[in-house]
Amino acid sequence: MFDYRRTHDCGTLRKEDIDSSVILSGWVNRRRDHGGLIFIDLRDRFGLTQLVFDPIKSPSAHLAAEKLRSEWVISIKGTVIPRQEGMTNPKLATGEIEVLVNEIEILSKAKTPPFSISDDLIDVNEELRLKYRYLDIRRGDVAKKLIVRHRAMLTTRQYLDQKGFLEITTPILGKSTPEGARDYLVPSRIYPGTFYALPQSPQIFKQLLMVAGMDRYFQIAPCFRDEDLRADRQPEFTQIDMEMSFGVPEDLMAIIEGLIKTIFKACIGLDISTPFRRLPHQICMEKYGSDRPDLRFGMELHRLDEIASQSTFSVFLDQLREGGIVKGFCIKGGADLSRKAIDEYTEFVGRLGIKGLAWMKRAESGLNSSIVKFFPEPIQERLIKEMQMDVGDLIFMIADAPSRTNQALDHLRRKVARDRNLIDPNRYEFLWVTDFPLFSWDEEARRLQSEHHPFTSPNPEDIHLLDSEPLKMRSSGYDIVLNGYEIGGGSQRIHNSELQQKIFECLKLTPEELESKFGFFLEALSYGTPPHLGIALGLDRLVMILTQTENIRDVIAFPKTQKASDLMLECPSKVSSEQLKELEIRVPDSQFSWT
C-alpha cells in the first residue's frame, strides 16, 4: 500500500533540500504538459511545490500524470532537484527547486469545481463562495485569515495564563434574560412549553464565577444574538470574555492593552504603542458624532449653534428654535469638490434622514456659497476662525436634531475620508471611550433602559442622582475602539445586591420579572460578592482589522449570510412532524401538523 504520510509540506522545501527523497501529498493546483515533461503544481495549506514527471526516468508516473486534473488529491515520492537556470520563481517560497517524481498514487478524484480554486484573484459571487465554503477556504485567502485567527486565540490563552486568568467554560444552554438583542431560543423536550436561550454573552455566569471566588476568569466564548445583520455582525460570534475581582478599570485597561500589543506583534509583527488614548463619551460625540470614532484622519466636528444664530439663514434658525443643533467639519483642500460631488454628498446624507447639506468654500476673495449672503461678513470671519479654514478649504454643515446630526456627520466624515484617500490602512489608532451614560430613554416603552446592561455600576460620583436625575448619571463602563470599530466593551459591575435591585427598579422591572429572570442572581450577590469588573473583546472584529478586511464573514470558517442563513447546510430548515410532536410545538402555516 502506498504510504501517503508526508515527509514535508508543500511550502517547506528549499535548495538546501536538493537530493533529498521526499513524500508530498496535496491537491493538483495546475497541470502543464510540455509535450514530454509534465509539470504539476501541488498545493496544500502551506504553499505550492512544482512536481516534474519525466517519461524517460519514470514512465509509469508520467503515464499517471497524463490523467491528472485540477483538485485531484495525490501523493508522490520523489527527489528534490534544482530548477533549470532561468526557470526559478522568486515569487514562490519553493521557487528554486522542484521534485522529480518517481511514484504517484491518486488518492481522490474531483468534479470540476463551481469556481476556480487555483486562481484566488478571480472575483466570485459571495453567495456561491458561501454555498461551497469548503472550496472557498481551499483557495487560500480565507485560510490565511483563519490562521491569523488561530494565532490570535493561541496568543490570548498564553498571555492571560501568564496574568493569572483561568479559562473556564460556561453553559451554552441558559436562561432568557433581557440583555438588549433578541435571544435564540431552544425548546426543551423534557419540559414541554419551556425554552433554553443561547447566550448573548456569558455575562451572568462570569459574574457568578467572581462570587464563587475564581478571581480571574477568561473564555474564548461563542455568543448568539438574533439581530439585524451588517458587514461586521454575525448571528453567532466569538468573544474574548474576561472578568476579574478586586480591581478597578485602570487595572483591566493595562491588561487589555498588553494583550492587544502581544496579539498584534504575534499576528502581524507590529509593535503598537501603549497606553491608548482616552476620551469621555460626551467629547467623542461632540468631536466625531460617534462613540466609536476613526482617529486616523482629522475633520473633527465643530458645534456652530452660536454662530448660526447670528445669521439670517432660516434653515439653521428654524432648527435651533426646535431644539436642533448646527454642526460641521472642514475638508482641507476640499474646494476642489465639484458641484456634482457636493450634490452626491447631499443625496448621501439625505438617505440618513437629513433634508439638506450646507457648504461653503474659501477662496482668496472670501467665502463662496449660495448661502453666504445670509452670513454677515463678521459672522463669516468667525466661521472661518472656528472651522480653521484656509484658502482652498471647504466646510459641510448640517442642522437637525442632535442624534440625526451626529449620525449623519459621522457617516459623511468617514465617506469623505474614504473618497479622498485620507485613511492609511496600515495605521492603527486605539481609543478608550469612558463615562458613558448609565441610562438612555426608550421613547416607545416610555421608560429608562440600560446603555450597556443592567449590571453596570454607576460612576460613584453620580450615585446621588439615581432618584432625581438618572439620565444625567454616568456609568463605570468603557469601550475600546480601533479604527472606527468597537472591538470591546466592559464595565465595573455592581457587587451590592441592594444597588442592583435599585437599578432593576429604575428599569421598571416588576418584582415578578425580577424573581423569574434574576432571582437566582440577586440571591448569589447576597452571599458576599467582591468588587469585580470585566470586558468582552470581539475576536471576529479584531481579526477583521488584523487581516484588513471589512467583511466579518471573511474571518469565520462557516459564516451565515447577511440574512442569517447558511447556504451550505441550507438552514434554517423545517423539521419533521415527529420532532415537532416530541417537543409539543405547533407551527402555524406549516406543512406539518399533528394532533
Side-chain angles (χ1 to χ4, degrees):
M1 180 177 176
F2 195 95
D3 188 352
Y4 52 74
R5 291 175 295 176
R6 298 174 290 186
T7 59
H8 299 77
D9 61 60
C10 291
T12 298
L13 297 173
R14 303 290 187 270
K15 62 182 180 180
E16 292 80 14
D17 299 298
I18 289 172
D19 295 330
S20 299
S21 296
V22 299
I23 299 174
L24 301 180
S25 298
W27 286 262
V28 174
N29 191 66
R30 187 177 286 109
R31 176 182 176 274
R32 303 182 301 283
D33 191 333
H34 288 188
L37 298 177
I38 294 176
F39 293 91
I40 297 289
D41 289 337
L42 190 67
R43 182 190 72 241
D44 62 14
R45 74 174 177 90
F46 300 98
L48 292 174
T49 296
Q50 180 171 282
L51 311 179
V52 56
F53 295 81
D54 190 318
I56 297 174
K57 295 181 179 179
S58 184
S60 60
H62 184 273
L63 186 63
E66 290 180 341
K67 305 174 184 177
L68 296 180
R69 296 294 180 267
S70 294
E71 301 311 308
W72 286 22
V73 182
I74 65 172
S75 187
I76 64 95
K77 294 180 182 178
T79 304
V80 182
I81 61 174
R83 293 201 187 192
Q84 294 180 6
E85 189 174 347
M87 301 299 290
T88 59
N89 184 352
K91 296 181 180 179
L92 200 62
T94 59
E96 293 184 292
I97 60 92
E98 57 192 13
V99 176
L100 179 62
V101 177
N102 303 317
E103 299 179 53
I104 179 173
E105 180 81 3
I106 297 172
L107 302 175
S108 176
K109 296 181 180 181
K111 295 194 301 183
T112 301
F115 48 79
S116 173
I117 308 295
S118 60
D119 190 351
D120 63 356
L121 297 179
I122 294 177
D123 190 27
V124 180
N125 176 277
E126 188 180 39
E127 288 193 1
L128 190 62
R129 289 172 51 210
L130 293 177
K131 181 175 177 63
Y132 296 96
R133 186 61 164 185
Y134 44 88
L135 297 179
D136 187 36
I137 294 173
R138 200 189 292 178
R139 298 173 83 202
D141 184 61
V142 172
K144 291 174 185 175
K145 292 176 171 59
L146 294 179
I147 291 168
V148 172
R149 184 187 179 102
H150 155 76
R151 196 167 295 128
M153 291 193 294
L154 181 62
T155 301
T156 296
R157 288 188 163 101
Q158 292 170 336
Y159 175 88
L160 293 177
D161 177 64
Q162 293 170 2
K163 296 294 182 181
F165 285 80
L166 302 174
E167 183 169 14
I168 302 174
T169 302
T170 56
I172 294 297
L173 297 177
K175 186 182 185 69
S176 180
T177 57
E179 292 187 46
R182 287 179 293 273
D183 289 322
Y184 277 102
L185 300 177
V186 180
S188 169
R189 176 186 60 83
I190 299 174
Y191 303 101
T194 64
F195 296 83
Y196 299 103
L198 303 184
Q200 295 185 33
S201 77
Q203 183 63 48
I204 289 179
F205 290 115
K206 66 182 182 180
Q207 289 192 249
L208 291 176
L209 286 169
M210 298 302 103
V211 178
M214 297 310 291
D215 194 48
R216 290 191 171 197
Y217 140 94
F218 86 97
Q219 181 182 189
I220 299 179
C223 303
F224 309 85
R225 290 181 186 173
D226 185 6
E227 59 186 350
D228 296 332
L229 304 183
R230 58 191 187 202
D232 63 341
R233 279 184 181 171
Q234 277 281 285
E236 47 187 321
F237 56 97
T238 306
Q239 289 182 179
I240 301 173
D241 201 53
M242 299 171 58
E243 199 81 7
M244 61 182 284
S245 296
F246 304 113
V248 294
E250 287 72 19
D251 302 324
L252 185 60
M253 288 177 177
I255 291 171
I256 294 300
E257 289 172 1
L259 171 61
I260 291 176
K261 185 180 181 72
T262 306
I263 288 174
F264 268 72
K265 184 66 175 177
C267 292
I268 60 175
L270 182 68
D271 288 307
I272 60 174
S273 299
T274 56
F276 300 156
R277 198 182 325 187
R278 300 186 190 184
L279 280 178
H281 176 266
Q282 184 177 357
I283 292 179
C284 272
M285 298 304 296
E286 280 297 316
K287 284 190 171 184
Y288 304 103
S290 170
D291 56 10
R292 48 181 181 86
D294 192 335
L295 303 181
R296 290 175 293 175
F297 55 93
M299 296 193 296
E300 293 183 359
L301 308 185
H302 293 255
R303 189 76 170 259
L304 301 172
D305 296 5
E306 204 276 327
I307 293 176
S309 69
Q310 302 302 309
S311 74
T312 58
F313 188 41
S314 60
V315 173
F316 286 178
L317 297 176
D318 289 346
Q319 283 294 334
L320 291 173
R321 276 193 294 270
E322 294 172 9
I325 61 173
V326 182
K327 292 180 78 171
F329 63 85
C330 178
I331 305 171
K332 291 298 175 183
D336 62 359
L337 284 175
S338 67
R339 186 55 191 264
K340 179 183 177 183
I342 292 173
D343 288 345
E344 288 173 352
Y345 286 127
T346 303
E347 183 181 343
F348 174 78
V349 298
R351 293 194 293 270
L352 299 170
I354 301 299
K355 295 179 181 178
L357 179 63
W359 59 272
M360 293 183 186
K361 296 180 179 181
R362 185 180 180 188
E364 292 286 354
S365 58
L367 294 178
N368 293 327
S369 171
S370 59
I371 65 170
V372 166
K373 60 187 176 184
F374 300 108
F375 291 77
E377 192 164 323
I379 302 303
Q380 291 184 37
E381 291 174 0
R382 288 183 58 190
L383 189 58
I384 289 170
K385 182 177 180 181
E386 172 64 27
M387 301 299 284
Q388 300 173 16
M389 291 182 74
D390 297 316
V391 173
D393 293 349
L394 174 144
I395 59 173
F396 279 138
M397 295 172 286
I398 287 176
D400 211 307
S403 60
R404 277 199 300 270
T405 299
N406 281 325
Q407 182 190 42
L409 286 173
D410 169 43
H411 283 80
L412 180 61
R413 174 180 175 269
R414 294 172 195 255
K415 178 170 174 54
V416 169
R418 288 193 299 271
D419 292 348
R420 299 180 71 82
N421 295 316
L422 302 179
I423 302 174
D424 180 355
N426 297 311
R427 182 176 169 188
Y428 299 93
E429 290 290 342
F430 292 88
L431 174 70
W432 285 107
V433 181
T434 63
D435 294 330
F436 281 85
L438 183 66
F439 298 115
S440 58
W441 181 253
D442 185 334
E443 192 64 44
E444 186 175 332
R446 305 296 300 170
R447 66 181 186 182
L448 295 173
Q449 61 182 5
S450 294
E451 185 75 11
H452 273 69
H453 55 63
F455 316 113
T456 301
S457 179
N459 186 310
E461 296 177 3
D462 296 345
I463 290 286
H464 66 283
L465 298 172
L466 187 56
D467 292 320
S468 57
E469 298 179 288
L471 285 172
K472 291 186 177 181
M473 295 180 70
R474 295 166 297 165
S475 77
S476 295
Y478 36 81
D479 282 357
I480 183 167
V481 175
L482 172 57
N483 293 356
Y485 289 101
E486 177 198 328
I487 61 169
S491 67
Q492 189 89 35
R493 319 301 190 192
I494 298 170
H495 66 279
N496 179 296
S497 58
E498 293 180 3
L499 177 59
Q500 183 66 79
Q501 182 136 356
K502 180 68 175 176
I503 294 294
F504 285 144
E505 290 172 1
C506 287
L507 298 173
K508 294 291 193 290
L509 292 174
T510 66
E512 292 75 24
E513 287 177 312
L514 279 177
E515 182 58 36
S516 66
K517 295 182 183 296
F518 298 111
F520 69 97
F521 185 65
L522 292 171
E523 173 79 2
L525 291 182
S526 69
Y527 285 102
T529 303
H532 59 286
L533 71 164
I535 194 169
L537 299 176
L539 177 67
D540 311 297
R541 287 186 186 173
L542 186 58
V543 178
M544 277 175 58
I545 296 170
L546 287 167
T547 57
Q548 296 190 344
T549 179
E550 294 183 353
N551 189 339
I552 199 170
R553 293 182 287 278
D554 289 345
V555 301
I556 297 173
F558 298 102
K560 305 292 188 289
T561 69
Q562 203 154 339
K563 293 185 177 179
S565 67
D566 187 321
L567 300 180
M568 184 181 67
L569 298 180
E570 298 182 341
C571 69
S573 57
K574 294 182 178 180
V575 298
S576 69
S577 57
E578 289 76 15
Q579 288 174 285
L580 292 174
K581 185 175 182 179
E582 195 171 35
L583 293 168
E584 297 189 23
I585 291 177
R586 290 176 173 82
V587 180
D589 301 320
S590 170
Q591 66 183 24
F592 305 122
S593 62
W594 54 273
T595 56

